[in-house]
Amino acid sequence: MHFKHLIVTAAAAASLIGTSAALAHTRLETSSPQANSMVSPAPAQLRLQFSDPLELPFSKIKLVDEHGAVLTPSKIEVDPANPKALVAAMPALHAGAYRVQWSTVTRDGHKVKGEFGFRVK
């Protein structure tokens, strides 16, 4: 009887591990420019690579300079060759610090957002 209880407990624990992996939310995997990097020259585009395919109509990118001015990309699109990559054409950037603020919805309906900084030399 004790052995049977142990097997049921182990099976329940294994199913929870599988469930938590399946319920994991989309995350930003990489970016260009990279978070906390110093770049030169200023990037003409920003690329965000996620762990899951994205829904463009619900994706936003905002760039804020060190003075608090908001710079809006001229164009944001999902990379036609990679549905997990969001690409934004950036306005001309001068030397200084910038914060990238992003939000998106994945094809499974999860909304995710985040931010990171980088500097232009």
Side-chain angles (χ1 to χ4, degrees):
M1 187 81 159
H2 185 64
F3 181 71
K4 186 176 179 182
H5 178 69
L6 184 62
I7 291 174
V8 170
T9 303
S15 70
L16 286 175
I17 291 170
T19 302
S20 65
L23 295 177
H25 289 287
T26 297
R27 69 187 183 291
L28 178 64
E29 293 183 328
T30 61
S31 66
S32 177
Q34 293 181 356
N36 305 314
S37 65
M38 173 84 71
V39 296
S40 180
Q45 76 172 14
L46 174 71
R47 182 179 181 86
L48 305 178
Q49 177 70 42
F50 292 89
S51 58
D52 294 296
L54 308 171
E55 289 292 337
L56 182 59
F58 306 105
S59 299
K60 297 177 183 163
I61 295 176
K62 182 168 65 170
L63 196 64
V64 182
D65 73 11
E66 59 195 353
H67 304 292
V70 176
L71 307 167
T72 306
S74 58
K75 182 178 182 181
I76 298 174
E77 64 184 353
V78 172
D79 184 337
N82 181 353
K84 298 178 183 181
L86 195 58
V87 181
M90 301 308 299
L93 301 179
H94 302 286
Y98 295 89
R99 299 252 3 118
V100 176
Q101 299 171 339
W102 57 266
S103 65
T104 191
V105 173
T106 57
R107 289 188 184 162
D108 65 3
H110 289 108
K111 182 175 182 176
V112 289
K113 63 181 180 176
E115 67 176 51
F116 64 91
F118 71 93
R119 294 186 64 83
V120 174
K121 187 174 181 181

